[in-house]
Amino acid sequence: MNRRISASLLAADFCDLRGELARVSSADLLHFDVMDGHFVPNISFGLPVIEAVSRCTDLPLDVHLMIERPERFLEEFAAVKPEIITVHYEAAVHLQRTLRRIKELGCRAGVSLNPHTPLEGLRYVLEDLDLILIMTVNPGFGGQEFIPAMLEKIGDCRKLIGAAPIELQVDGGVTVENVPVLAAAGATNFVAGSAIFQAENPADYIARMRSA
Ligand code: DX5
Ligand code: ZN
């Protein structure tokens, strides 16, 4: 599976989103961190922002819902036509139904796991999954440090996926320096916020992440 880079808008300058979108236009995906102040101890942005940004970019949208009971909002998020909607394993009580619904709505379905959440239950929903997101920090904030123990988890997840056509995404503390070990462990999709947006030349940084 081809390596893909997803630029996380959380680290962008919100006063100049148009300018920021131009800086990251060579990414493969645009990642949106939606936070509700309940599932994670932070509030970010929601639908109006995603909807506005979707009109100003050609990049496919990658929506990461860090919200409780995400099934309540799937129709609204699907209406902005994202490529991917990812929900949290810990927040989706009826996960299989939620993943099915995301696909019915025409999107690819992702599930995200907090660092301490075991992979075990995913075995039973693999058929309904297009992407697994292994959080490599505790979700809620940008700019945190990568948790090294997640390397083993990424390797275990790679084994679980086997030959299934499922992307393995990593998110949190991802930089050009750790992309090689993450890729060697089995990651195929790399979310980065701070590293990309703080780079002097994000296009160059994204190219280096692709070839690292
Ligand atoms: C963390 C978010 C990430 C965040 C990553 O809760 O899910 O997508 O934007 O930020 P960096 O790349 O700065 O760790
Ligand atoms: Zn994210």
Side-chain angles (χ1 to χ4, degrees), residues 8 10 31-35 62-66 88 112 133 135 139-140 169-172 191:
S8 179
L10 190 65
H31 185 87
F32 294 89
D33 289 306
V34 179
M35 305 181 187
D62 169 24
V63 176
H64 178 192
L65 296 180
M66 281 164 275
H88 263 265
S112 176
L133 165 49
M135 287 305 305
Q169 186 176 57
V170 287
D171 182 8
V191 179

Side-chain angles (χ1 to χ4, degrees), residues 18 29 38 45 86 94 113 118 124 193 211:
R18 228 182 258 277
L29 295 156
H38 290 277
F45 48 73
T86 297
H94 304 288
L113 274 65
Y124 311 107
S211 59

Side-chain angles (χ1 to χ4, degrees), residues 108-184:
R108 297 176 70 234
V111 66
S112 176
L113 274 65
N114 284 342
H116 75 282
T117 302
L119 294 165
E120 187 50 27
L122 291 184
R123 273 204 299 140
Y124 311 107
V125 293
L126 280 184
E127 274 192 10
D128 298 298
L129 271 178
D130 299 301
L131 177 144
I132 298 172
L133 165 49
I134 302 290
M135 287 305 305
T136 41
V137 298
N138 286 288
F141 303 91
Q144 302 182 83
E145 233 174 83
F146 172 79
I147 300 172
M150 293 304 102
L151 272 182
E152 184 185 348
K153 188 174 183 183
I154 294 161
D156 292 344
C157 188
R158 171 48 54 204
K159 280 185 214 135
L160 177 76
I161 291 173
I166 297 174
E167 279 191 282
L168 204 177
Q169 186 176 57
V170 287
D171 182 8
V174 175
T175 66
V176 75
E177 282 77 28
N178 58 25
V179 162
V181 281
L182 293 165

Side-chain angles (χ1 to χ4, degrees), residues 52-73:
V53 169
S54 74
R55 285 186 270 111
C56 301
T57 180
D58 295 326
L59 291 181
L61 314 182
D62 169 24
V63 176
H64 178 192
L65 296 180
M66 281 164 275
I67 64 175
E68 278 177 9
R69 296 178 47 218
E71 66 279 0
R72 293 172 296 161
F73 295 104

